[in-house]
Amino acid sequence: MTPPLSDGDFSTLFNFLPIGAYRSLPGGQMLRANQALVELNGYASEAEMLPLVKDIALEWYVDPERRAAFQRQLERDGFVRGFVSEIYRHKTRERVWVSENAHGVRDADGLLRYYEGTVEDITDRIRDQRALRESEEQLRQITSQVPGMVFSVFVTPGGRREYRYVSSGIRDIYGLEPEDLMRDPMLVARYRHPDDVPLLEQDLQDIQRGPVDLGGEFRIVLPDGSVKWVFRRSYAVSASEEGTLRVGVLLDITARKQAEAALHASEALWKLALESAGDGVWDWNLVTGEEYFSSGIKAMFGYAEDEIANFAVELDARTHPDDVPQMQADRQAHFEGRAPVYRNEHRIRCKDGSWKWVLSRGMAIARDENGKPLRMVGTHTDITEHKLAEAQHRALEAQLRESQKMEAIGTLAGGVAHDFNNLLAAILGNLVLAREDVGEHHPAQESLIEINRAAIRARQLVQQILTFSRRQTQEMVRQPLTPLVEEALGLMRSLLPAGLKLVARLPAAGLPVLADATQMQQVLMNLCTNAWQAMEGRSGDITVALREVRLDASQALQIGGLAGGAYACLSVADNGPGMDEATQQRIFEPFFTTKAPGTGTGLGLAVVHGIVKAHRGAITLHSRPGEGARFDVYLPLAAGATDDGLVPDTPVGDAAPVAAPVASGKHVVYIDDYEALVFLVGRLLRKQGYRASTFESGEAALDWLRAHPTEAVDLVVSDQNMPGMSGVDVAREVRQLRPGLRVAIVSGHVNDKLLAEAADAGVCDVMGKQDSMDALGEAIRELLERTSAG
């Protein structure tokens, strides 16, 4: 054993380092570890940790090959720098990423004595890198749908460029690949049209003076000699002493510029061409105020030729008041020569009172000797659909962000609920045993009963959270929705407070869907409960309606990212006070409530949202303050089903044999990483007459089985989600050790993937988390009966 470090060899620095530091033998035994490395491995002190670390290669690295690569580098170079690996925290077995630096220390004869090195936890960095890669892939997919080239470029104060991102649209404009420009930032500069070089150099000077927004048109010359017009718009998103990060877009406007050039050659041809393209043409005499409007412009807004006088004030008066200041500012910029062309987007009121968005473009084609504009010509283009598409796009982006937020909250809620459920299982199980232990007439019974009631209420709350996070097992059956709604309404009528009237509008058709009956009735109950609570004690109506709707692709996408097709639409409406926009934005968030403290958990609508999403459906809300609220639930109709009522397919086979009673003394091995459950289940099994061997890890259970090869075991029951070995891993090992021994797995999240893996590992049964210890005991008894019968 190497003697401890002395003060002369930096022992104080060794322990003061903020990252892990160590000394170890070449064989893998740890000799010294500073406090940072001790804490990284989950221990309190070096004295506690060192005796437990036997072999770093086997105990630390997730992939043992990384240790081999580590040693190869040390043997080859004598040192290792920035060696990244995924390791286990030695005590807790939690997986983290680290970066190691190490070197070998040799004696005077050149013999290797030990390794010294540092270990830095870089888990957050690795996660950030993964998130960045995912974000970049999302950006690539989004920008691939945008016409033109989207780019991000970093410009230093000296003018040096570094492209951080270039979309695939560069191929359509320059015929280049994104990687070409990122490798050579000056590549596109060689394509500049000689006449436009001063303009682009001026832009670069503007950028070097500080953050600035740029926009404009210029030409490029391709290798084959052809000329293209390009429109560029870019913005500064951040700036520092090192430089400025800019984002922007390039659009190929060659076709438009060619059309404009041809139109300028002949004013008549220009106007005719624009009219035929669907644009309206205007010709404005700035001196008299007279303005020629083509028939296309007047028809665009629903007016006949003689219904609008040919004066500029006619359309200006019909311009939306909010858009007038910017329109006037854009005109003035062009009049004063600050903008080469006039360009503005604004709304104009049509004859029928609706508003239409137009893109107005124009140019002063005549000026006096002082530069004052005298005549201006241009076009109006109807961009209403484009504006609506933009609004729809923003709405879809907001829906995507909301969906991602709800998914993240659901995952968190499901994890918390899973652990909390384990705690409640231990509480309820021990309550049952405690009540048996103290006797029926013991004074503590009253307190134990109250504890039991509180725990049951807590378990119900956990079930709501699990439903919200969609982690409960669903029994999805093709069945008519109408009878389910009728049954739930029958119960609701008896529960409604006085003064509220329940109105049902249900179709005769069954509207078959693939659904979990209990959960769908819970959706209706929660929505109706939310409706009557919104009435705040006032009288009113709650209307429940069910109908079939057919959504085209656009409608389905707006409703909630659905596919087009036939849907059952279940609506619950009230004539209460309604909701403002802020409340509607948060209405499906878990634990958000507008009720007084103590009158609601805020989980009702979150649970509804989770159930509907799990049924591949969507839910929308329509409400305004003072006008009540209506929730619409869309569920896809079951394909190929009829409205006569559906019965789920039931496998037909031989009748199950009558189970033989389980003999006393059966030996059960139970594995769970939760200590309280291990103790409780062991006690329960022994009280029921079984022999029970309990373990807190799969590794410990397998070690016991190897050490007792002749010990009879009738059944192994293992939790699935455990640190280290999972339940499926345990089953695979048990099949190797004892091929005939039956293994069952318990999981709080049973899905197709788990069932397939369990079947492949030879698992005899996969059980969901039981609601009580009695239920678990019954399930184990049934498995043992099947074993005896087999």
Side-chain angles (χ1 to χ4, degrees), residues 218-347:
F218 59 91
R219 288 163 290 180
I220 62 173
V221 182
L222 300 180
D224 63 2
S226 61
V227 176
K228 282 186 177 181
W229 276 94
V230 177
F231 172 78
R232 178 194 60 188
R233 184 171 294 280
S234 68
Y235 304 89
V237 295
S238 65
S240 64
E241 293 180 356
E242 288 77 18
T244 303
L245 180 64
R246 303 183 62 79
V247 296
V249 62
L250 291 181
L251 301 176
D252 184 349
I253 60 170
T254 304
R256 178 171 66 82
K257 296 298 289 187
Q258 290 173 342
E260 289 177 356
L263 292 171
H264 279 296
S266 169
E267 185 172 302
L269 180 61
W270 177 77
K271 292 182 179 180
L272 179 62
L274 286 180
E275 287 282 6
S276 64
D279 288 340
V281 181
W282 48 267
D283 188 342
W284 185 10
N285 186 326
L286 299 171
V287 178
T288 65
E290 293 177 292
E291 185 170 3
Y292 160 77
F293 299 119
S294 69
S295 57
I297 283 186
K298 296 180 179 181
M300 186 186 303
F301 305 119
Y303 292 100
E305 183 69 30
D306 58 352
E307 289 184 313
I308 292 184
N310 289 322
F311 285 92
V313 294
E314 291 292 333
L315 284 190
D316 285 357
R318 291 170 171 82
T319 301
H320 196 289
D322 295 345
D323 301 337
V324 169
Q326 186 61 49
M327 180 179 69
Q328 293 175 340
D330 289 341
R331 286 176 181 172
Q332 196 62 30
H334 176 59
F335 292 161
E336 295 174 0
R338 290 181 283 111
V341 296
Y342 163 68
R343 187 183 187 282
N344 178 262
E345 296 177 358
H346 55 271
R347 287 161 288 181

Side-chain angles (χ1 to χ4, degrees), residues 136 139-141 143-144 148-154 162-174 176-185 188 246 248 250:
E136 289 175 343
L139 177 62
R140 186 194 67 76
Q141 293 178 357
T143 56
S144 67
M149 166 185 155
V150 180
F151 65 88
S152 168
V153 60
F154 186 79
E162 176 188 340
Y163 282 89
R164 302 283 177 83
Y165 177 79
V166 178
S167 74
S168 59
I170 190 175
R171 300 189 190 105
D172 300 327
I173 298 177
Y174 290 95
L176 302 172
E177 295 297 321
E179 296 78 12
D180 298 335
L181 184 56
M182 296 179 74
R183 186 168 47 249
D184 182 0
V188 294
R246 303 183 62 79
L250 291 181

Side-chain angles (χ1 to χ4, degrees), residues 411-427:
T411 300
L412 174 63
V416 173
H418 175 270
D419 292 340
F420 194 45
N421 220 15
N422 281 341
L423 295 171
L424 288 173
I427 293 171

Side-chain angles (χ1 to χ4, degrees), residues 420-434 448 451-452 454-456 458 674 676-677 680 773:
F420 194 45
N421 220 15
N422 281 341
L423 295 171
L424 288 173
I427 293 171
L428 289 167
N430 279 293
L431 274 171
V432 172
L433 297 176
L448 292 174
I451 295 173
N452 186 73
I456 292 295
Y674 184 39
L677 274 182
L680 181 61
M773 288 297 101

